[in-house]
């Protein structure tokens, strides 16, 4: 399965179904037990989170939020890049990284084109002998700016997805694998605890990424980058592009308002279910998946227009009830059902490794690592994961690595989260190659980037990402999850079939 996932000789989801065939035939697990792995609580959380994201996209709420933020930050190069990165990262926390990148890049290109055209018109009015040289300088400047903006958007999408439990699939895989391998973990990873650890790390990575791309593509001239004391005529026209896009959306309709209220309510329920620093509202039976499905079900019940009592249309027929906020046809088109099978395949593989005794054998084989300091183990494993995810999907990477890391942690009496958590986040740090992740591919498809541009910028950010994650792990992460002690719930006994 590892080979098939890495080479993609078969669709990833079809490879995920192999345990259903092979485990019963090899006498490892009964078919009913294997099939149970394909619909767990983590899958329900994934479905609920995606239904909310589909509703946000369907009613263009994400575009309204993005354009509103850009109108606030303005169009000066450095602030514009900061605005695009912050907005893309925020959107990627709630909707797919691919969708946020696909929406933000055309807006970025339109704004930059307007800035370039405005500057060209200003130069034409001057008509001096240096016009050709100035044109070449202008084109080179905006080519660099275009490259930097494209990279900033796709990198921010990947970074933003790490901040929430539902932001990207590897986060949910960690949650599912942890619950499968360590059933008594006391819900150590939930929406609130994940956000508490990952959000500060995401902000730190985003700032460093902005500074690095600023240095690479805008230079160190703060006056030019921030536009201090420069002519504002071109800026006004570029600002007008964003303003016109915002005007096209019109005023917020009833449906958008409903989606926004449900979205905010969902986030509040997630945060307060079990916040950690005070008692939560939920019983032991309620999980983040329960809340996600509850709120997403409301999208199929609440009308998209204010309902009216009675009345007739112009042709004399009774008025029909307005459509709901979401309908199943939209969900069928937008929902990536293949990921559910991929998630299930990973959970089945983890369970099979545990039942067959493979996890125990791997853990015992890695026991000599106990002599290495924990921070060194974590750092090296993060580098390995970040390298591997450049040529394999982040879902496949986490699915393959996490069961092995869990076995190793148990064998050397190290807190499982000390290696599983940073490696899960590092699986999303695919910055170097266009094929590494869909946001990179979308940015590359615009034609201005070369592979070397992405590799140079991405290599440094990969290293920076690994360092920041390990700093977070050994500071507030250690305090939040008590990572310096080996927990009782990790003392699992592997029971394997004869």
């Amino acid at each position: 399965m590892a080979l098939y996932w890495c080479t993609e000789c078969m669709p990833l989801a079809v490879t995920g179904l192999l345990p259903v065939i092979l485990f019963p035939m090899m006498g490892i697990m009964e078919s009913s037990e294997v099939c149970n792995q394909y619909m767990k609580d983590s899958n329900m959380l994934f479905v609920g989170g995606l239904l909310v994201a589909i509703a946000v996209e369907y009613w263009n709420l994400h575009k309204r939020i993005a354009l509103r933020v850009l109108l606030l930050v303005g169009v000066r190069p450095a602030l514009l890049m900061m605005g695009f990165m912050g907005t893309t990262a925020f959107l990627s926390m709630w909707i797919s990284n691919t969708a946020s990148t696909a929406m933000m890049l055309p807006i970025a290109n339109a704004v930059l084109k307007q800035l370039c055209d405005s500057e060209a018109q200003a130069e034409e009015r001057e008509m001096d002998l240096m016009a050709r040289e100035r044109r070449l300088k202008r084109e080179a400047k905006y080519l660099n700016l275009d490259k930097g903006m494209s990279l900033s958007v796709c990198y921010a999408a990947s970074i933003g997805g790490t901040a929430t439990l539902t932001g990207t699939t590897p986060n949910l895989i960690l949650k599912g694998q942890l619950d499968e391998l360590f059933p008594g973990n006391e819900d150590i990873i939930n929406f609130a605890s994940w956000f508490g650890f990952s959000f500060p790390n995401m902000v730190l990575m985003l700032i460093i990424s902005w500074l690095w791309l600023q240095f690479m593509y805008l230079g160190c001239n703060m006056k030019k980058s921030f536009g201090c004391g420069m002519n504002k005529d071109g800026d006004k026209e570029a600002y007008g592009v964003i303003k016109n896009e915002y005007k096209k959306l019109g005023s917020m309709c009833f449906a958008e308002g409903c989606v926004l209220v449900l979205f905010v309510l969902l986030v509040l329920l997630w945060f307060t279910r079990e916040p950690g620093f005070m008692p939560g509202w939920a019983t032991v039976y309620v999980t983040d998946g329960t809340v996600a499905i509850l709120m997403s079900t409301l999208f199929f019940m609440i009308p998209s227009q204010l309902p009216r009592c009675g009345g007739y249309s112009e042709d004399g027929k009774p008025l029909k009830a307005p459509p709901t906020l979401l309908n199943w046809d939209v969900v069928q088109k937008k929902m990536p059902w293949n990921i559910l099978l991929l998630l299930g395949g990973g959970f089945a593989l983890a369970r099979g490794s545990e039942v067959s005794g493979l996890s125990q054998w791997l853990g015992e084989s890695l026991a000599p690592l106990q002599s290495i300091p924990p921070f060194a183990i974590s750092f090296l494993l993060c580098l390995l994961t970040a390298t591997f995810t450049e040529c394999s999907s982040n879902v496949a990477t986490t699915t393959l690595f996490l069961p092995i890391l869990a076995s190793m942690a148990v064998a050397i009496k190290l807190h499982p989260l000390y290696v599983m958590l940073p490696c899960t986040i590092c699986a999303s740090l695919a910055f170097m190659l266009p094929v590494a992740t869909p946001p990179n591919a979308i940015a590359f498809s615009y034609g201005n980037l070369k592979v070397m541009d992405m590799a140079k910028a991405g290599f440094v950010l990969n290293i920076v990402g690994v360092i920041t994650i390990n700093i977070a792990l050994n500071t507030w992460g250690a305090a939040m999850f008590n990572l310096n002690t080996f927990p009782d719930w990790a003392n699992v006994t592997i029971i394997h079939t004869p």
Side-chain angles (χ1 to χ4, degrees):
M1 286 178 70
L3 183 65
Y4 282 16
W5 270 330
C6 292
T7 59
E8 295 189 36
C9 57
M10 284 169 58
L12 297 179
V14 177
T15 302
L17 289 170
L18 289 180
V20 179
I21 305 165
L22 298 177
F23 284 3
M25 292 178 70
M26 292 177 172
I28 297 170
M29 292 165 67
E30 291 183 6
S31 180
S32 58
E33 190 182 356
V34 179
C35 294
N36 283 342
Q37 309 303 314
Y38 286 80
M39 197 51 73
K40 291 189 162 288
D41 180 64
S42 298
N43 297 63
M44 287 293 100
L45 179 56
F46 174 77
V47 171
L50 273 179
L51 285 172
V52 174
I54 289 168
V56 168
E57 288 181 49
Y58 182 68
W59 290 104
N60 258 344
L61 184 60
H62 63 319
K63 191 170 185 178
R64 184 178 295 278
I65 293 168
L67 291 172
R68 190 70 213 165
V69 172
L70 292 175
L71 284 173
L72 290 173
V73 299
V75 294
R76 300 301 171 84
L79 294 176
L80 187 65
M81 183 181 282
M82 184 190 292
F84 272 105
M85 290 185 78
T87 308
T88 307
F90 174 76
L91 292 175
S92 293
M93 289 163 60
W94 315 106
I95 68 174
S96 78
N97 303 349
T98 308
S100 55
T101 307
M103 187 200 74
M104 295 300 288
L105 274 176
I107 300 172
N109 278 342
V111 172
L112 288 180
K113 186 177 184 304
Q114 185 59 56
L115 281 171
C116 185
D117 290 348
S118 299
E119 197 170 313
Q121 288 168 9
E123 287 175 7
E124 282 175 12
R125 286 194 291 269
E126 292 176 15
M127 290 295 290
D128 59 15
L129 297 174
M130 303 295 289
R132 177 179 168 75
E133 186 180 336
R134 295 172 81 179
R135 180 175 61 83
L136 292 173
K137 282 184 180 178
R138 184 188 72 247
E139 288 174 356
K141 181 180 82 171
Y142 278 98
L143 177 63
N144 257 354
L145 190 54
D146 196 25
K147 286 179 179 181
M149 207 65 74
S150 296
L151 288 174
S152 71
V153 169
C154 69
Y155 290 166
S158 295
I159 293 168
T162 65
T164 58
L165 189 56
T166 55
T168 187
T169 313
N171 306 353
L172 288 169
I173 293 175
L174 170 65
K175 166 73 174 165
Q177 298 277 22
L178 202 66
D179 291 345
E180 174 64 37
L181 298 170
F182 307 103
N185 68 67
E186 301 170 350
D187 199 30
I188 190 170
I189 290 291
N190 56 42
F191 190 89
S193 65
W194 180 280
F195 188 85
F197 172 76
S198 296
F199 182 74
N201 180 68
M202 183 272 283
V203 172
L204 182 60
M205 284 183 60
L206 206 63
I207 292 170
I208 294 172
S209 302
W210 174 70
L211 290 171
W212 172 240
L213 292 173
Q214 165 84 15
F215 170 73
M216 277 194 73
Y217 293 104
L218 299 179
C220 298
N221 190 325
M222 291 294 140
K223 184 177 178 180
K224 285 186 177 179
S225 296
F226 287 91
C228 300
M230 294 178 70
N231 195 325
K232 296 182 179 180
D233 292 341
D235 291 353
K236 286 179 181 176
E237 293 176 15
Y239 187 82
V241 172
I242 302 175
K243 203 166 185 178
N244 288 337
E245 286 292 316
Y246 189 76
K247 281 182 180 177
K248 287 178 188 176
L249 295 175
S251 57
M252 184 177 277
C253 64
F254 175 75
E256 279 183 87
C258 288
V259 171
L260 181 61
V261 169
L262 289 176
F263 170 74
V264 172
L265 190 56
L266 170 64
V267 175
L268 287 175
L269 288 173
W270 268 339
F271 273 120
T272 56
R273 184 183 71 82
E274 195 178 332
F277 57 88
M278 67 178 204
W281 59 265
T283 65
V284 291
Y285 300 108
V286 176
T287 66
D288 288 333
T290 313
V291 178
I293 294 298
L294 167 66
M295 299 308 295
S296 57
T297 302
L298 295 178
F299 289 116
F300 299 92
M301 300 168 65
I302 297 174
S304 58
Q305 300 168 17
L306 275 171
R308 292 190 293 177
C309 297
Y312 293 88
S313 60
E314 292 179 0
D315 55 4
K317 294 181 180 179
L319 288 171
K320 291 183 179 179
T324 53
L325 293 172
L326 267 186
N327 63 72
W328 197 247
D329 289 337
V330 173
V331 173
Q332 283 278 61
K333 292 174 185 174
K334 296 271 189 179
M335 180 71 76
W337 299 106
N338 60 320
I339 300 294
L340 282 174
L341 296 178
L342 186 57
L343 283 170
F347 298 151
L349 193 60
R351 181 63 180 163
S353 301
E354 182 185 350
V355 168
S356 66
L358 175 62
S359 293
Q360 187 178 23
W361 175 81
L362 282 169
E364 290 168 355
S365 302
L366 295 167
L369 290 173
Q370 197 161 8
S371 59
I372 302 175
F375 72 87
I377 294 175
S378 171
F379 187 79
L380 291 173
L381 288 172
C382 284
L383 282 177
L384 178 64
T385 308
T387 304
F388 194 84
T389 200
E390 291 291 348
C391 51
S392 175
S393 78
N394 55 8
V395 177
T397 302
T398 43
T399 302
L400 294 172
F401 275 58
L402 289 183
I404 299 171
L405 296 177
S407 302
M408 181 202 72
V410 172
I412 64 176
K413 300 299 179 185
L414 184 65
H415 197 300
L417 279 181
Y418 195 84
V419 286
M420 295 175 77
L421 182 57
C423 287
T424 298
I425 298 177
C426 282
S428 296
L429 305 186
F431 299 139
M432 287 179 63
L433 297 174
V435 296
T437 186
N440 290 12
I442 293 170
F444 193 76
S445 68
Y446 275 77
N448 291 324
L449 285 169
K450 296 177 181 176
V451 175
M452 192 51 67
D453 294 326
M454 194 170 279
K456 281 192 294 186
F459 176 76
V460 172
L461 290 185
N462 271 11
I463 302 297
V464 167
V466 169
I467 293 170
T468 56
I469 289 166
N470 278 274
I471 290 171
L473 187 74
N474 290 287
T475 50
W476 65 86
M480 283 182 64
F481 301 115
N482 200 16
L483 298 179
N484 295 324
T485 59
F486 186 69
D488 292 336
W489 51 258
N491 278 311
V492 290
T493 304
I494 308 293
I495 301 173
H496 43 99
T497 57

